[in-house]
Amino acid sequence: MCKNFGVTVALNHVNLTLKSGEIRGLIGENGSGKSTVSSIVAGMQKATSGEMVYDGKPWNPSNTLEAQTNGICMIVQEAGTIPTIPVADNVFLGHEELFAKGPFVDHSK
């Protein structure tokens, strides 16, 4: 996959294979493309070229909601979290029903 921002090349023919159950870390210097590739997989932005395959089918989420509905999401380190609520609440924001007990969130779950 490739990603350009104008004349700036952020990703130059990146190839990444992940298998079910694997845990991987993307490590590299600032500006090496870690967040860019992650955000493309998670539907936050589009690749300039290339293709992705997820679960044996072409993967090109139109937005983060589509990606999240299909089991892929990204928690960003930058702004985008709600500072007045706990980390766990930020992680599961929008999925409170998984932890609901009536109209309240069961934080012990």
Side-chain angles (χ1 to χ4, degrees), residues 14-74:
V14 170
N15 184 9
L16 175 66
T17 302
L18 303 171
K19 295 181 182 173
S20 180
E22 281 186 329
I23 298 172
R24 294 275 184 113
L26 297 179
I27 301 169
E29 295 181 21
N30 288 342
S32 64
K34 304 176 301 290
S35 295
T36 303
V37 74
S38 298
S39 65
I40 292 170
V41 172
M44 298 169 109
Q45 60 183 320
K46 300 286 184 196
T48 303
S49 64
E51 63 180 25
M52 294 183 286
V53 176
Y54 176 56
D55 205 17
K57 296 176 235 155
W59 179 247
N60 189 18
S62 56
N63 55 47
T64 56
L65 183 58
E66 180 184 350
Q68 194 171 29
T69 300
N70 285 280
I72 296 177
C73 63
M74 178 178 169

